[in-house]
Amino acid sequence: MTTHPTLQALRTTPEGLLWEPGERWVRGRKGDVTVVDSRHPVLVWEPGVPVPLYAFPHSDVRQDLLRPAANPPIGAHTGSRIFYDLDLEGELLENAAWTFPAADLAGYIAFEWFRRSGRGLDHWYEEEEEIFIHPRDPHKRVDAIRSSRHVQVSVGGTVVADTRRPVLLFETGLPTRYYIPREDVRLDLLEPTDHHTGCPYKGTAAYWSLRAEAEVPPNLVWSYPDPLPAVAPVKDLLAFYNEEVDITVDGEPLERPVTHFSRTPGPRT
């Protein structure tokens, strides 16, 4: 019996990298120039990094555009020692690519994603769909489910949202997010900001800060005005960081989780 490659266990290198073959057709571009065009990428997880990245066979990369890095950040990316600058008609992008110090991945090159690191390739595609920030993790699920639970959100004792028609977003590795219709939110307490973030699973989010006496971080509330089809039910609904506000669901107060989104120091309650 032959096991399908994507159903095999993740492979582990002595350096602590996890990797597995990918089956999606992936292209990476800088402006109008296609630098990577691969039907045989691999997904790589670096130690301590929750999201994967792609690495590509050398033959699928425009190596004529790569130059040995003038100032390589030796030791970055799990101890990598070989980095490349990307030369596009005289425009040099430093340390845009690298190879991992693992024998299993010796024939592969990885690239920085501009929207994640601020340098590297700025447009990425899986099949014919553009993706943002980082590759989608095949071991991760994101489900947006309509609900009739009673959800209340409070800040410093003030109720800022109260609904019985939320959409619950379940995302592997993160706390449940409660998306609330705007009619059920105290919009008079919100102030829009110019902050935006991108997510490969949900799309581009717009943010609000709270006009409140309680000391809370800015950009505490977000919404997806044009979400990706997989999470269409959250369109235009508002969500609050569970890490920073008090949420009660069906009369039961939730503990504030501690995640990489937590911004307020001190003990969590």
Side-chain angles (χ1 to χ4, degrees):
M1 177 179 177
T2 301
T3 302
H4 195 280
T6 58
L7 299 183
Q8 295 177 3
L10 288 170
R11 297 103 185 265
T12 305
T13 76
E15 297 79 11
L17 294 162
L18 298 176
W19 69 278
E20 68 179 11
E23 294 190 330
R24 300 180 185 186
W25 176 25
V26 179
R27 281 99 68 219
R29 299 170 58 186
K30 178 63 178 176
D32 295 328
V33 178
T34 298
V35 180
V36 176
D37 189 332
S38 180
R39 289 169 172 79
H40 303 286
V42 296
L43 284 158
V44 183
W45 288 261
E46 296 188 83
V49 181
V51 298
L53 51 80
Y54 277 124
F56 307 95
H58 286 203
S59 58
D60 295 342
V61 173
R62 286 280 306 273
Q63 295 187 69
D64 60 303
L65 302 177
L66 299 181
R67 309 284 180 264
N71 300 292
I74 300 300
H77 293 296
T78 319
S80 296
R81 301 188 64 83
I82 299 175
F83 289 81
Y84 299 95
D85 296 337
L86 182 65
D87 188 349
L88 293 174
E89 298 180 348
E91 178 188 2
L92 202 65
L93 305 178
E94 290 192 345
N95 302 310
W98 71 94
T99 62
F100 286 108
D104 290 357
L105 300 172
Y108 294 86
I109 297 176
F111 285 82
E112 297 286 359
W113 290 38
F114 180 82
R115 296 196 187 188
R116 182 178 179 192
S117 66
R119 64 182 187 278
L121 307 189
D122 50 16
H123 292 285
W124 288 94
Y125 300 86
E126 290 178 345
E127 303 299 332
E128 296 302 328
E129 186 172 318
E130 187 168 10
I131 54 174
F132 306 95
I133 312 300
H134 61 78
R136 294 165 177 158
D137 189 329
H139 304 285
K140 188 182 184 90
R141 284 190 64 94
V142 181
D143 298 303
I145 303 176
R146 294 180 176 88
S147 177
S148 60
R149 294 197 190 199
H150 184 198
V151 177
Q152 288 183 311
V153 180
S154 299
V155 177
T158 299
V159 175
V160 297
D162 189 328
T163 190
R164 294 181 183 272
R165 46 179 185 158
V167 170
L168 275 55
L169 191 136
F170 301 93
E171 182 171 351
T172 305
L174 287 174
T176 303
R177 300 301 191 189
Y178 299 90
Y179 284 77
I180 300 173
R182 297 186 182 213
E183 297 83 358
D184 297 338
V185 177
R186 287 280 308 274
L187 297 179
D188 59 304
L189 299 179
L190 303 184
E191 182 175 21
T193 74
D194 59 3
H195 185 58
H196 292 82
T197 59
C199 172
Y201 309 106
K202 299 184 286 292
T204 300
Y207 284 78
W208 290 259
S209 291
L210 279 176
R211 297 189 184 104
E213 294 183 1
E215 293 186 5
V216 292
N219 302 309
L220 199 63
V221 186
W222 73 90
S223 179
Y224 288 95
D226 188 22
L228 295 177
V231 293
V234 307
K235 179 178 173 63
D236 290 329
L237 305 188
L238 298 174
F240 296 74
Y241 277 111
N242 312 41
E243 296 87 343
E244 308 296 344
V245 301
D246 297 313
I247 297 180
T248 301
V249 179
D250 292 335
E252 181 180 348
L254 303 184
E255 291 187 8
R256 293 190 188 181
V258 177
T259 74
H260 60 281
F261 292 108
S262 301
R263 291 176 285 174
T264 300
R268 322 295 299 176
T269 59

